[in-house]
Amino acid sequence: MIDIVITIIGTQKDEKGEESRIECTTKGRYYERNNIRYIVYKDSEISGIEGVTTMLKVYDRHVVLVRTGSVDHKQEFLLGEKSYSMYHTPYGTMQMSILTNSLKMALTSTIGTVTIEYELEINGQWQSANTLSISIQEESISGH
């Protein structure tokens, strides 16, 4: 396992065309097993799900996002396909569907980016067009 610095940028555009953006930088871990690349980090207060562990499993042609903790969620991102999942929170469960419009993965060992553009539906209602951009780099070790 390698210590990494992760920058996450999420944008959402609602049906009115209004855009919101969240950006945060956090520390995490990176490792590879059976040709799958794993990016693991704890979500912060800014994401609204503080203390939740997020794992991105990056395959050759798709990405799986797994969240555990106060929320429980597993979502697949497959280019051009709609995938369904249940999003479990302490306040209830929602059905989510994701239509992945763009999926770009450029990871070389401990540096690179994963960018996903998708449309989100919750309980059958279209919510937003989203972009999730995750960039990683190996944490630099200072000599102090």
Side-chain angles (χ1 to χ4, degrees):
M1 258 192 226
I2 299 166
D3 290 331
I4 56 172
V5 176
I6 305 161
T7 301
I8 304 140
I9 301 171
T11 60
Q12 293 183 314
K13 192 178 288 186
D14 66 18
E15 70 276 352
K16 296 176 185 165
E18 293 180 16
E19 189 170 289
S20 61
R21 174 186 164 110
I22 295 175
E23 180 172 347
C24 70
T25 300
T26 188
K27 293 181 180 183
R29 307 284 222 140
Y30 175 90
Y31 62 97
E32 294 182 25
R33 188 174 294 145
N34 299 325
N35 293 325
I36 303 166
R37 290 159 290 185
Y38 294 84
I39 300 167
V40 182
Y41 61 92
K42 291 243 185 245
D43 281 281
S44 66
E45 187 178 341
I46 199 166
S47 69
I49 51 175
E50 184 177 12
V52 169
T53 299
T54 296
M55 175 190 301
L56 277 173
K57 297 167 71 173
V58 182
Y59 295 82
D60 287 340
R61 295 206 158 130
H62 72 286
V63 173
V64 177
L65 179 133
V66 180
R67 287 196 164 121
T68 55
S70 61
V71 302
D72 183 35
H73 182 229
K74 180 181 175 183
Q75 185 70 56
E76 290 190 80
F77 296 92
L78 300 131
L79 183 59
E81 293 186 31
K82 194 178 236 186
S83 64
Y84 298 87
S85 66
M86 299 305 285
Y87 191 85
H88 304 281
T89 75
Y91 312 105
T93 299
M94 299 176 284
Q95 181 185 28
M96 293 178 63
S97 66
I98 297 287
L99 173 61
T100 305
N101 295 318
S102 174
L103 185 57
K104 297 177 181 150
M105 300 170 285
L107 288 178
T108 57
S109 67
T110 58
I111 191 163
T113 59
V114 175
T115 305
I116 306 167
E117 294 177 9
Y118 62 95
E119 293 180 45
L120 170 65
E121 289 181 1
I122 296 177
N123 295 330
Q125 285 290 110
W126 189 88
Q127 297 294 310
S128 54
N130 301 274
T131 301
L132 177 63
S133 178
I134 297 170
S135 59
I136 68 165
Q137 63 185 31
E138 191 166 350
E139 187 176 15
S140 58
I141 309 294
S142 69
H144 299 73

